Amino acid sequence: GRFGCAGYNEVAMRLAASQAFQAAGDLDRARAELRETLRQIDLRAGDIPDPNWRDSYLTRNPDNARARKLAREWDLELL
C-alpha cells in the first residue's frame, strides 16, 4: 500500500486517511482504510509477547484506541 514504508507512523497516517475519506463522503474508501489500519495494529500487537503490554498497546495508544473506537462506531469487526 501507499503507507507500507511509513514505519511507526503508518497507523496514524492510515487513521487520518480513513477519517479524511469519511469526511469527504467516500465511505467505502474510509472503511477500507480503517480495515487496513486495524490489520496493521493487529500485526504490531501480535509481536508483543506480554499480554499486559499488548493490551496497553491496543487500548492506551491514542491512535490505536481511536481506530478501534471508529471501528465500533462504523460497525467494523475488530480483529
Side-chain angles (χ1 to χ4, degrees), residues 44-74:
R44 287 159 176 76
D47 287 338
I48 303 171
D50 182 283
N52 293 320
W53 283 107
R54 186 172 43 253
D55 183 63
S56 178
Y57 172 77
L58 291 170
T59 60
R60 297 185 72 189
N61 176 294
D63 293 324
N64 297 350
R66 177 72 180 141
R68 293 165 62 83
K69 182 177 185 286
L70 276 180
R72 287 188 296 274
E73 290 172 5
W74 295 0

Side-chain angles (χ1 to χ4, degrees), residues 5-42:
C5 297
Y8 69 91
N9 287 322
E10 184 172 4
V11 168
M13 290 169 47
R14 287 188 180 280
L15 178 58
S18 68
Q19 292 175 295
F21 288 129
Q22 192 265 349
D26 190 344
L27 303 183
D28 289 339
R29 186 96 184 259
R31 292 169 70 83
E33 200 63 56
L34 185 55
R35 275 189 208 94
E36 181 58 23
T37 303
L38 296 170
R39 190 179 80 79
Q40 291 299 320
I41 292 168
D42 189 57

